[in-house]
Amino acid sequence: MKIISSIDELRDQMRGQLRTAFVPTMGNLHEGHLSLMRLARKHGDPVVASIFVNRLQFGPNEDFDKYPRTFQADVEKLEKEGVYVLFAPTEKDLYPEPQEYRVRPPDDLGNILEGEFRPGFFTGVTTVVLKLFSCVQPRVAVFGKKDYQQLMIVRNMAKQFALPTEIIAAETYRAEDGLALSSRNGYLSPEERAEAPKLYQLLNDVANEVRSGHLDIFELERNAMARLAERGWKPDYISIRKRADLQPPSAGDLAKGEQLVVVAAAKLGTTRLIDNLEI
């Protein structure tokens, strides 16, 4: 595996590759990330991964400097997966001058749910993703469904800018007890780790209520938030939305069987966890 930090060197290395499959990451890799590499290989060749902790998507109250960086361990994992190139730029490589041009998602998608609680987050995500796509020039790129809103925003961005990159969605990789794998799980205490799967269990309960015909969406959301709070969580949102655009479903949408997803974000101790479940 070649480890490249320079954009010019990356472009030289990738010249003539027409079927590149790309997986962007911020490092601190776990089995969920590695499952994305395996899916990428099914859709293209060679596989290129990136590791870059993107300052643009960290808010003023989110500690960019404390984000876990495990570069050597990450390299070893990617080598075992047969990744062809690891693009690992420094900030100076990727942002040689201040990144004053930004890509801002539309407010009705970028400022709801995660965007409401993390202002500017998705502008940081879309800006770095577009720049990474420009550097790697992949035919396909793989993003996990765990970050459901991010996946939708990136997919819509690729479509609206007519990018030659197909966005592939990867199913959420879960531990045996149902907890979605995330770099943030490492912050959980043993007691919190034992409690954490309750979030996914709650999503399943909500989904089952909807499937059984309980269509008072606001009541379901309110009850789910209350159940989490009773267990000591601090929920930001538990919300049933349309898969198509992440807007709340109308009575008409529910009557005609609109495809739905329940999305959630909540703090357990000091660790903020997100998850979702398609209904």
Side-chain angles (χ1 to χ4, degrees), residues 52 54 56 90-99 128 131:
F52 181 70
N54 178 39
L56 297 187
T90 65
E91 283 194 282
K92 197 69 177 169
D93 289 316
L94 204 59
Y95 302 132
E97 56 190 60
Q99 188 66 36
V128 77
K131 194 154 192 179

Side-chain angles (χ1 to χ4, degrees), residues 107-260:
D107 290 346
D108 61 355
L109 184 55
N111 288 349
I112 62 173
L113 301 170
E114 283 299 281
E116 177 183 347
F117 288 91
R118 303 180 69 187
F121 170 70
F122 287 119
T123 295
V125 169
T126 47
T127 299
V128 77
V129 168
L130 184 61
K131 194 154 192 179
L132 288 169
F133 282 1
S134 174
C135 297
V136 178
Q137 301 187 11
R139 190 184 70 82
V140 301
V142 179
F143 289 80
K145 280 188 180 181
K146 185 179 83 71
D147 297 290
Y148 204 89
Q149 189 174 2
Q150 173 179 280
L151 168 65
M152 179 174 288
I153 285 173
V154 169
R155 180 172 272 160
N156 289 357
M157 177 187 74
K159 179 181 176 184
Q160 288 204 4
F161 280 114
L163 302 180
T165 302
E166 179 187 358
I167 307 302
I168 306 291
E171 295 298 328
T172 301
Y173 198 98
R174 299 184 181 276
E176 287 187 8
D177 58 10
L179 178 63
L181 293 199
S182 168
S183 299
R184 294 179 183 178
N185 295 351
Y187 295 134
L188 298 169
S189 71
E191 295 76 19
E192 290 166 348
R193 176 61 186 82
E195 169 67 20
K198 294 292 189 294
L199 182 61
Y200 184 54
Q201 292 173 21
L202 186 66
L203 295 184
N204 276 282
D205 291 345
V206 171
N208 288 334
E209 289 275 1
V210 173
R211 293 186 190 111
S212 66
H214 187 159
L215 297 181
D216 187 336
I217 297 301
F218 296 115
E219 182 186 26
L220 288 174
E221 293 173 347
R222 198 165 51 245
N223 290 346
M225 294 269 283
R227 283 176 59 189
L228 264 192
E230 286 168 6
R231 302 188 65 91
W233 295 65
K234 298 184 184 72
D236 284 343
Y237 60 83
I238 298 173
S239 193
I240 298 164
R241 299 295 176 111
K242 296 187 289 184
R243 289 191 213 175
D245 56 12
L246 289 185
Q247 297 303 307
S250 67
D253 293 327
L254 298 172
K256 71 181 183 183
E258 177 83 28
Q259 286 190 313
L260 304 173

